[in-house]
């Protein structure tokens, strides 16, 4: 591999094989040939620093003492590690390639068809980069190879080497030498020698093309003199016999070469000539017994770089099946780097390639190596001490497997994948430039040599597997060309120069792509550029001429290819696809001379093309990117848009044109006719330097309707707005609608505009016209905007005498026009005086305004007799005060007038100036619009710092005075205010309220948490009577809401609240309060009394009331009964049996007693309903009262004890059904638990007795076969996850922990893989019994230790650690109450000695039973089916 430098190759001569290429149809540019011999343009290919990877992150660590070659040879794990099968459990599923796969045949003379994967569809870069590579067949050489095979039985080609000559080896042992003209110069060897030595398997030509080394399939090596074809050496003892020569390479030293045989060994060959005798000494550099090398590549340097310090080391890169090595052959053998692959596809081919590149301003060699789909780049540097450092650069990740890697130049590489697709890639950007299919080459593969078939196939399986895709000796590169050896032909791949790439696109009518590619050459953004040299300006000039040539061709083609017939839309679309692109590139090149002359003249022949061309100019014209627009084109452009009715486009174009060369009169007439006012102003300004005429025209258009009092049309409003903007721009020195007025004209234009505005009369003065018509018209049109224009103008004025006179003159005219005229509204007058106040407030003010005018304006605005426009007048006066007009008035008089006119905002403004914040509260309270804002104002005054204590105190007092009004205004906001600032005076606030309903609203907002109150608990604890007052008012006004309110209120006294409830006779809340107090009996009596009252009402109303009136009473009865039952249930858990009976039996008696007094007619109406309610009581009390006691009480009843059992039959049967249901549920639960326990114990037994099967036969720590370690204390440990370890290896990883006083192993790989993940196994988890991996130990120790272990296991009745661990894991899977506790509870409840008192003691069991636990749950899922 020849090193190359930058984008061009370094140090090649005017390469003679270029003649070879031209002979077969390749025309290479002379610039390429010349540039290859120059070093002057190396800086053109310097790599950008941002493309580099951080050296600290990717530098290969330096060591004090580099490893020796012997130490590397003695490594024991290289060969075996690559053949250890992957553990599927350890694979990262996310990294598995999921691309679709298919098969394809690869032509080969040796190894036949091969199966390969296509991992991703190839992107097509043709549209961006064109055709980068030129593929040519060397017909002369190909024909002579075929002829030699037929005529002299040379055999098929097997290897190729290229320098200034081309050498092709054949399968019958011949070497054919061709010159640059494809003429055969030599035929080395003979078929007889070929029969003895086998096929030529490797070739190498030295740097001066004087020697050829041939390696053969049976291991021999020959050296030939290329000048005369003489055999110089035959080497048969350089390496072990019976192995084929895979590679043989000359180094830069002609007396030194290296070879690689099929045994995986690498040898150094030193050629000497002593006393006229040629000898060869061999030295083993790498032994294949410790790791097979299948690729070698020495670093070659050209003559120009022989002084580079790296060349003195004679570096050699070697690729074995497991690692990459870089060694130095000189001055002594030394290993500079080893780089392991990691796990790779065994069939992937290791590849190596050197090249010189410029990186960070230094020229150094870079080694590219890959195996599979990732290319690594290593930069080799030498420091001042002589040490070599190798730094890893950015990787190249691919979607296909590589079988060849070739440098074309420092930035461009050619990659051949296993599908025989050639990928041309830019190394810096990693962008794929082109993809070529070269399967028709029928590439020769070197598989038979890697399998060493000629010597009996005595190679390793791994090397033979790699050789399936090996084509090392079939591809050779030299001088920027790549040569591919086919079974019957030789092919060459060359980078096209930039002209060829562009012309290639033009031949295919891809003009758009050709222009884009040429522009990328022009801007220096193209990739793989060849043939562009010199300084950037010259290169741009050359490319620009080519682009102009393409544009002219494109123009002719567009006109020639235009459809002559069909719809006009088709023609328009045709030109829309071509003409804009031509215009774009002409303007990018700034060649408007070509655009408006040759191209426009040609396109004008077609009216459609002409129209499209003119429309393309508009966006450039609007961006002022169209210099040199000729008058002819401008005229055509305006006429075209006018004919199309696109007058907006006409106006937009005019204001960006230099119209001095056009007919101004016609343009003005056209613009005024079509209402293009911006264009009219622009033409007058730019064409004639007339700034006043457009103003007069616009004034005349809007003055008539304004003077007559008519409303303006939309068109007239637009004209008036344009007039204001035009005046503002002119007075500011800016051109309208864009740009700037020339500096020498600015003072003149300003004076002209001012003189125009202050004219006493217009030129055509009607008799009824008032004075100062222009200012009057603008004031009527938009007073505020016109005054803003004047204000901006006054800002820009200098304080010279003329400017001051103009300002004073304008102000006097404004006052005369507006004050002496009643046509203006208060808002317009206020705008004027606001404008004046702002001008007078300036520090450098020179204006004079009579103060009496301000007093008149104040009287006018504050007139109490005029109620119209009240808010408008107040707003105008407020703006006047904010603008500085307050200094023009006497403050007390201003406040007096504002109060009389009810201008509360004015009063607020004045009080705030005097810091009388308490009076501002009165302003808010009197202002109906802003009343609600008073709360925020008070809060800000009292809470925001910056106000004095006296001011806050005055505000606080004023707020207390208005407190009742504030609460009446908004109780919720008032409550928030009181909570924040008046909580300590809560009683005083309530005392100010006279209306009880208002007190209720205030307290509801203050105390009810649902309304968002924020009173501190400390305040409410000290004032409980306030909460009780709120409850009392709720009883009076909303008694239904008292019950839920009591549940959320906290700060009230129970005794006082109970008295309030008794006073209002509210049973529900009274019972709740008594229960909260702890007096359950009293609460029950209240609820029972209420229930009896409802029952009494029901029986009394049933006689005289119809059924639809009795239904509400029945509903009330049901609600009362439900509340009473809930009270009994809440309290029964804390009572003994006697106390429960005292609760439940009176309730049962209360429900049954009314049934004794029913007549037969009434019994039919209520019997079913009351029986249902009675049954509800019985069902509820059965949980707390034993069933015999309930039956005994019912039978002792005087009514039911006299033979009327039929009436209670339904009650008794219902209770018995409930008992039967509960008994059945209990039995079913017991059976399920028994089955669950039985299945769990069976599963546990099967788990701890099942044998464990390892997934591999090597230790996961040392990666050695388990049989190879024979230490006396070593054991084999297998985990349930399938991982296998030596006990000593596992002990060294701290994977033995103590659990419960016993030692226990944990899986190292599972523990390290899951470390840091939530919920996964750690050492801490193992100590807690949470591991899920069981371990079995197979001892390899002495017999005594096994007997001791057996004796221990036979005498120790406890579970071993693994069984205990599994049992704990099983318990966690079924976590909850233990089975033992459940069974104990069930046995206790059903034991014979307790069965007689079961129901009597039910309540006691309920309180202590595990079934009553709130976390109790049953795992009732059926156990899985256990097969045989």
């Amino acid at each position: 591999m020849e090193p190359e430098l930058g984008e061009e190759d370094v140090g090649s001569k005017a390469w003679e094989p270029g003649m070879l290429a031209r002979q077969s149809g390749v025309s290479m540019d002379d610039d390429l040939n010349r540039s290859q011999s120059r070093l002057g343009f190396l800086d053109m290919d310097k790599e950008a620093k941002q493309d580099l990877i951080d050296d600290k992150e990717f530098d290969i660590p330096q060591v004090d003492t580099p490893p020796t070659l012997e130490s590397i040879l003695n490594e024991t794990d290289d060969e075996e590690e690559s053949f250890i099968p992957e553990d599927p459990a350890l694979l990262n599923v996310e990294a598995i390639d999921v691309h679709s796969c298919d098969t394809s045949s690869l032509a080969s003379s040796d190894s036949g068809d091969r199966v390969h994967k296509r991992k991703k569809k190839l992107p097509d870069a043709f549209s961006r980069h064109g055709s980068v590579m030129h593929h040519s067949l060397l017909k002369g050489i190909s024909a002579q190879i075929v002829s030699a095979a037929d005529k002299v039985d040379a055999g098929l080609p097997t290897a190729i080497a290229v320098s200034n000559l081309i050498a092709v080896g054949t399968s019958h042992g011949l070497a054919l030498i061709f010159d640059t003209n494809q003429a055969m110069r030599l035929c080395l060897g003979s078929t007889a020698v070929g029969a003895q030595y086998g096929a030529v398997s490797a070739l190498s030509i030295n740097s001066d093309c004087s020697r050829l080394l041939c390696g053969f399939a049976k291991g021999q090596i020959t050296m030939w003199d290329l000048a005369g074809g003489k055999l110089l050496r035959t080497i048969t003892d350089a390496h072990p016999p019976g192995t084929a020569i895979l590679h043989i390479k000359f180094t830069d030293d002609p007396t030194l070469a290296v070879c690689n045989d099929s045994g995986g060994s690498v040898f150094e060959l030193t050629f000497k000539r002593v006393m006229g005798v040629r000898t060869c000494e061999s030295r083993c550099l790498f032994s294949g017994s410790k790791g097979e090398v299948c690729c070698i590549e020495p670093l070659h340097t050209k003559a120009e770089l022989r002084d580079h310090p790296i060349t003195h080391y004679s570096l050699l890169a070697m690729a074995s099946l497991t690692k990459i090595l870089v060694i130095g052959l000189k001055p002594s053998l030394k290993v500079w780097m080893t780089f392991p692959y990691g796990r790779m596809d065994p069939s992937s081919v290791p590849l190596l390639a050197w090249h010189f590149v410029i990186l960070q301003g230094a020229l150094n060699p870079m080694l590219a190596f890959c195996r599979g789909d990732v290319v690594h780049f290593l930069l080799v540097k030498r420091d001042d001490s002589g040490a070599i450092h190798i730094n890893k650069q950015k990787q190249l990740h691919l979607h296909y497997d590589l079988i060849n890697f070739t440098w074309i130049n420092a930035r461009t590489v050619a990659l051949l994948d296993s599908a025989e697709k050639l990928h041309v890639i830019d190394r810096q950007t990693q962008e794929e430039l082109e993809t070529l299919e070269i399967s028709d080459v029928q590439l020769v593969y070197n598989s038979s040599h890697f399998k060493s078939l000629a010597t009996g196939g005595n190679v390793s399986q791994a090397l033979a597997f790699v050789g399936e895709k090996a084509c090392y000796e079939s591809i050779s590169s030299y001088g920027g060309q790549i040569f591919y050896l086919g079974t019957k032909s030789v092919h060459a791949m060359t980078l096209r120069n930039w002209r060829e790439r562009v012309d290639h696109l033009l031949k295919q009518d891809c003009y758009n792509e050709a222009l884009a590619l040429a522009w990328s050459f022009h801007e220096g953004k193209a990739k793989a550029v060849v043939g562009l040299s010199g300084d950037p300006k010259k290169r741009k000039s050359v490319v620009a001429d080519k682009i102009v040539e393409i544009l002219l061709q494109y123009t002719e083609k567009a006109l020639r290819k235009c459809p002559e017939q069909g719809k006009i839309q088709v023609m328009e679309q045709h030109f829309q696809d071509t003409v804009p692109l031509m215009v774009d590139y002409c303007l990018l090149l700034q060649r408007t001379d070509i655009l408006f002359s040759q191209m426009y003249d040609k396109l004008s022949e077609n009216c459609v093309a002409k129209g499209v061309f003119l429309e393309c100019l508009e966006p450039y014209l609007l961006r002022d990117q169209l210099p040199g627009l000729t008058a002819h084109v401008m005229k055509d452009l305006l006429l075209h848009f006018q004919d199309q009715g696109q007058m907006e486009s006409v106006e937009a174009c005019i204001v960006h044109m230099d119209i001095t060369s056009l007919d101004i009169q016609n343009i003005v007439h056209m613009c005024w006719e079509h209402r293009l006012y911006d264009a009219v102003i622009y033409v007058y300004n730019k064409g004639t330097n007339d700034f006043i005429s457009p103003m007069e025209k616009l004034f005349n258009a809007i003055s008539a309707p304004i003077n007559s009092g008519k409303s303006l049309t939309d068109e007239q409003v637009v004209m008036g707005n344009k007039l204001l903007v035009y005046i503002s721009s002119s007075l500011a020195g800016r051109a309208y609608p864009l740009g700037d007025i020339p500096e020498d004209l600015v003072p003149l234009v300003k004076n002209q505009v001012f003189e125009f505005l202050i004219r006493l009369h217009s030129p055509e003065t009607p008799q009824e016209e008032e004075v100062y018509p222009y200012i009057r018209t603008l004031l009527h049109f938009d007073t505020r905007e016109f005054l803003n224009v004047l204000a901006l103008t006054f800002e820009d004025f200098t304080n010279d005498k003329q400017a001051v006179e103009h300002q004073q003159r304008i102000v006097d005219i404004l006052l005369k026009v507006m004050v002496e005229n009643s046509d203006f509204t208060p808002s317009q007058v206020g705008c004027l005086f606001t404008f004046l106040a702002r001008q007078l407030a300036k520090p450098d003010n020179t204006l004079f305004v009579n103060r009496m005018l301000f007093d008149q304006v104040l009287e006018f605005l504050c007139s109490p007799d005029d109620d119209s426009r009240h808010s408008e007048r107040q707003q105008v006066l407020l703006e006047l005060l904010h603008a500085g007009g307050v200094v023009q008035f006497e403050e007390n008089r201003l406040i007096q007038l504002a109060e009389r006119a009810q201008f509360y905002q004015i009063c607020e403004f004045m009080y705030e100036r005097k810091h009388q914040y308490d009076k501002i509260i009165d302003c808010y309270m009197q202002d109906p619009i802003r009343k609600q804002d008073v709360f925020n104002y008070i809060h800000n005054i009292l809470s925001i710092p910056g106000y004095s204590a006296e001011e806050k105190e005055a505000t606080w007092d004023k707020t207390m005075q208005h407190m009742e009004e504030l609460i009446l205004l908004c109780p919720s906001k008032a409550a928030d205010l009181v909570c924040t600032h008046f909580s300590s005076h809560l009683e005083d606030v309530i005392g100010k309220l006279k209306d009880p309903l208002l007190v209720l609203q205030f307290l509801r907002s203050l105390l009810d948490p649902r309304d968002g109150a924020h009173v501190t608990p400390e305040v409410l604890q000290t004032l409980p009577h306030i909460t009780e007052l709120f409850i009392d008012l709720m009883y009076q006004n909303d008694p239904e809401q008292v019950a839920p309110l009591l549940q959320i209120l906290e700060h009230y006294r129970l005794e006082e609240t109970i008295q309030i409830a008794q006073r209002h006779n509210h049973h529900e809340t009274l019972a709740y309060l008594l229960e909260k107090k702890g007096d359950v009996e009293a609460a029950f009596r209240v609820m029972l009394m209420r229930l009896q009252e409802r029952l009494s009402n029901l029986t009394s109303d049933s006689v005289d009331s119809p059924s639809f009136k009795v239904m509400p009473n029945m509903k009330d009865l049901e609600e009362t009964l439900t509340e009473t039952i809930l009270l009994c249930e809440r309290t029964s858990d804390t009572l003994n049996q006697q106390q429960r009976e005292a609760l439940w039996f009176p309730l049962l008696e209360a429900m049954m007693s009314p049934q004794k007094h029913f007549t037969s007619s009434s019994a039919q109406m209520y019997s079913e309903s009351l029986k249902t309610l009675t049954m509800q009581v019985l069902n509820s009390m059965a949980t707390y009262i034993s069933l015999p006691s309930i039956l005994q009480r019912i039978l002792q009843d005087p009514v039911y004890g006299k033979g009327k059992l039929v009436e209670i039959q339904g009650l008794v049967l219902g209770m018995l059904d409930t008992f039967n249901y509960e008994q059945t549920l209990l039995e079913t639960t017991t059976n399920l638990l028994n089955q669950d326990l039985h299945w769990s114990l069976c599963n546990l037994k099967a788990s701890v007795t099942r044998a464990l099967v390892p997934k591999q036969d090597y230790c996961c720590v040392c990666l050695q076969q388990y049989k190879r370690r024979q230490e006396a204390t070593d054991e084999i440990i297998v985990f349930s996850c399938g991982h296998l370890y030596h006990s000593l290896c596992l002990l060294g990883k701290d994977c033995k922990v103590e659990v419960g006083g016993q030692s226990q192993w944990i899986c190292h790989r599972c523990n390290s893989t899951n470390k840091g993940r939530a919920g996964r196994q750690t050492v801490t988890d193992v100590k807690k019994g949470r591991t899920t991996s069981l371990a079995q130990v197979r001892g390899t120790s002495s017999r005594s230790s096994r007997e001791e272990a057996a004796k221990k296991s036979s005498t120790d009745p406890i579970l071993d650690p693994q069984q205990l661990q599994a049992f704990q894991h099983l318990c966690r899977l079924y976590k909850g109450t233990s089975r033992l506790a459940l069974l104990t509870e069930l046995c206790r409840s059903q034991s014979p000695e307790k069965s007689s008192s079961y129901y009597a003691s039910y309540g006691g069991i309920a309180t202590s039973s595990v079934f009553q636990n709130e976390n109790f749950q049953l795992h009732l899922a059926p156990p899985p089916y256990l097969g045989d």
Side-chain angles (χ1 to χ4, degrees), residues 20 69 148 244 771 784 789 1027 1081 1103 1155 1178 1186 1243 1261 1269:
L20 167 69
L69 188 61
V771 294
R784 187 181 299 274
V789 170
T1027 306
E1081 295 180 359
V1103 179
Q1155 304 179 41
L1178 288 172
S1186 63
N1243 190 35
V1261 174
R1269 299 288 292 269

Side-chain angles (χ1 to χ4, degrees), residues 239-251:
H239 65 104
T243 56
I245 297 296
L246 301 182
H247 306 280
I248 188 162
K249 305 280 186 180
F250 270 112
T251 65

Side-chain angles (χ1 to χ4, degrees), residues 1018-1030:
E1018 293 78 7
V1019 175
L1020 295 179
Q1021 287 175 358
T1022 58
L1023 301 173
H1025 60 278
I1026 294 179
T1027 306
E1028 295 158 9
L1029 173 62
F1030 174 47

Side-chain angles (χ1 to χ4, degrees), residues 1167-1428:
S1167 175
E1168 294 299 326
S1169 298
L1170 290 178
K1171 283 183 179 180
T1172 302
L1173 295 178
T1174 305
M1175 191 64 196
Q1176 182 179 351
V1177 175
L1178 288 172
N1179 289 335
S1180 299
M1181 67 188 298
T1183 308
Y1184 305 98
I1185 308 296
S1186 63
L1187 187 59
S1189 299
I1190 298 174
L1191 291 175
Q1192 183 180 2
R1193 179 59 63 94
I1194 293 175
L1195 294 176
Q1196 289 176 354
D1197 187 272
V1199 176
Y1200 301 118
K1202 297 179 180 180
K1204 296 183 180 180
L1205 291 176
V1206 178
E1207 299 180 7
I1208 64 170
Q1209 181 181 4
L1211 300 177
V1212 175
L1213 291 177
M1215 295 169 63
L1216 292 175
D1217 288 341
T1218 302
F1219 172 77
N1220 290 333
Y1221 167 75
E1222 292 179 351
Q1223 186 178 27
T1224 304
L1225 179 62
L1226 182 60
E1227 293 175 355
T1228 304
T1229 303
T1230 303
N1231 291 334
L1232 288 173
L1233 289 173
N1234 290 335
Q1235 294 179 17
D1236 187 16
L1237 181 61
H1238 175 71
W1239 170 81
S1240 300
L1241 293 175
C1242 291
N1243 190 35
L1244 174 61
K1245 180 181 178 182
S1247 298
V1248 299
T1249 57
R1250 184 184 298 117
L1252 301 181
V1253 180
K1255 297 179 180 179
Q1256 65 277 325
D1257 58 354
Y1258 60 90
C1259 174
C1260 292
V1261 174
C1262 67
L1263 301 179
Q1264 302 227 8
Q1265 302 291 333
Y1266 72 91
K1267 298 179 182 178
R1268 297 180 63 175
R1269 299 288 292 269
Q1270 299 298 333
E1271 287 82 352
T1273 59
D1274 204 3
E1275 295 178 330
I1276 304 302
I1277 301 176
V1278 183
F1279 288 89
S1280 60
C1281 54
H1283 296 137
L1284 180 145
Y1285 301 91
H1286 296 114
S1287 60
L1288 295 180
C1289 296
L1290 208 56
L1291 190 62
K1293 295 294 184 179
D1294 295 331
C1295 291
K1296 190 173 184 180
V1297 296
E1298 296 292 331
V1299 179
Q1302 296 182 352
S1303 299
Q1304 181 176 338
W1305 297 102
I1306 60 173
C1307 178
H1308 167 66
R1309 180 165 292 185
C1310 294
N1311 184 51
S1312 60
T1313 301
N1314 298 330
K1315 190 172 294 181
R1317 300 182 185 174
R1320 295 304 185 98
Q1321 172 184 335
T1322 62
V1323 174
T1324 305
D1325 295 333
V1326 174
K1327 293 180 179 179
K1328 296 180 180 179
R1330 298 177 184 172
T1331 180
T1332 59
S1333 295
L1334 302 179
Q1336 288 189 0
V1337 180
R1338 193 201 74 177
T1340 59
S1341 59
S1342 63
R1343 179 178 178 182
S1344 60
S1345 63
R1346 291 199 299 269
E1347 291 177 352
E1348 183 182 351
K1351 181 178 178 181
K1352 180 180 179 181
S1353 62
S1354 62
T1355 59
D1356 195 353
I1358 65 173
L1359 295 174
D1360 61 23
Q1362 288 76 23
Q1363 292 171 332
L1364 180 62
Q1365 175 183 337
F1367 180 76
Q1368 292 171 346
H1369 175 60
L1370 193 62
C1371 290
R1372 285 199 309 278
L1373 292 180
Y1374 299 94
K1375 60 184 178 180
T1377 307
S1378 67
R1379 270 66 170 172
L1380 183 60
L1382 295 177
L1383 295 175
T1384 303
E1385 182 63 42
L1386 293 174
C1387 293
R1388 182 196 308 157
S1389 62
Q1390 292 185 343
S1391 60
E1393 62 271 20
K1394 294 185 179 182
S1395 59
S1396 59
S1397 61
Y1398 172 70
Y1399 297 108
S1401 61
Y1402 186 84
I1405 295 174
T1407 59
S1408 61
S1409 173
V1410 296
F1411 301 110
Q1412 300 298 323
N1413 190 342
E1414 62 180 3
N1415 295 323
F1416 173 73
Q1417 56 179 340
L1418 290 176
H1419 297 277
L1420 299 181
Y1425 173 73
L1426 296 177
D1428 296 336

Side-chain angles (χ1 to χ4, degrees), residues 127 513 679 1001 1266 1341:
S127 59
E513 291 79 4
Q1001 293 177 352
Y1266 72 91
S1341 59

Side-chain angles (χ1 to χ4, degrees), residues 706-940:
I706 289 178
N707 294 334
S708 61
K710 297 179 181 179
S711 59
L712 298 178
T713 63
D714 292 342
E715 184 67 26
Q716 291 169 338
V717 171
V718 171
M719 295 171 65
N721 289 330
K722 288 183 181 293
L723 179 59
L724 283 175
V725 176
Y726 177 42
I727 293 174
S728 175
S729 300
S730 300
L731 293 176
R734 296 189 303 272
Y736 182 86
L738 48 88
D740 293 311
I741 300 175
E743 292 185 5
D744 56 334
L745 294 178
V746 171
L748 176 63
V749 172
K750 288 185 177 181
N751 289 332
Q752 289 179 355
V753 174
F754 267 113
E755 293 295 338
F756 170 78
L757 290 176
I758 64 177
R759 286 181 185 176
L760 191 61
H761 291 286
S762 58
E764 301 176 359
T765 306
Q767 295 181 354
E768 65 277 6
E769 183 184 67
E770 299 187 44
V771 294
Y772 308 114
Y774 299 129
I775 290 182
R776 188 183 302 275
T777 299
L778 291 174
L779 288 172
H780 276 294
F781 176 73
D782 194 332
T783 306
R784 187 181 299 274
E785 291 303 323
F786 177 57
L787 294 176
N788 287 340
V789 170
L790 294 180
L792 292 174
T793 305
F794 287 178
E795 292 288 341
D796 296 337
F797 267 7
T798 56
N799 288 327
D800 57 10
K801 182 177 180 181
Q802 185 177 11
V804 172
E805 291 177 355
H806 278 305
Q807 292 183 52
Q808 187 64 50
R809 178 65 172 158
I810 288 288
V811 169
D812 293 340
I813 293 174
L814 291 174
L815 291 172
K816 180 175 181 61
V817 170
M818 295 196 72
V819 176
E820 297 178 1
N821 197 314
S822 60
D823 294 341
F824 294 94
T825 64
S827 178
Q828 291 174 315
V829 175
C831 287
L832 172 62
F833 280 89
T834 301
F835 163 75
L836 294 177
R838 287 173 179 161
Q839 298 301 319
L840 294 174
K842 291 181 179 179
D844 55 349
N845 171 56
T846 57
L847 295 177
F848 171 76
V849 178
N850 192 344
R851 188 163 182 171
M852 294 294 295
L853 294 176
F854 280 92
D855 292 336
Q856 293 177 16
V857 171
L858 181 62
E859 292 284 351
F860 169 70
L861 295 176
C862 296
S863 174
D865 300 330
D866 185 8
D867 291 336
S868 63
R869 300 185 176 181
H870 179 274
S871 60
E872 179 186 348
R873 290 186 287 115
Q874 179 177 218
Q875 190 63 32
V876 168
L877 183 55
L878 189 63
E879 290 181 6
L880 178 58
L881 296 178
H882 280 295
V886 67
V887 299
Q888 307 294 332
F889 304 110
E890 199 275 319
E891 293 188 2
N892 293 330
R893 183 168 179 271
L894 176 59
I895 294 175
Q896 181 181 1
L897 291 175
E899 290 177 347
R900 188 178 63 184
Q902 297 181 351
F903 287 174
Y904 298 113
Q905 295 184 43
I906 305 299
C907 296
E908 177 186 354
F909 178 82
M910 298 305 299
Y911 289 143
E912 191 167 0
R913 284 174 57 87
K914 295 185 175 185
H915 302 283
Q916 296 177 349
Y917 302 107
D918 55 329
K919 293 187 177 181
I920 296 179
I921 297 177
D922 294 326
C923 295
Y924 275 102
M925 297 303 295
Q926 296 175 20
D927 192 346
I929 300 176
R930 301 191 306 149
K931 265 189 176 183
Q932 294 290 340
D933 298 336
V934 68
F935 299 100
N936 291 333
Y937 179 77
I938 295 173
H939 173 73
N940 292 337

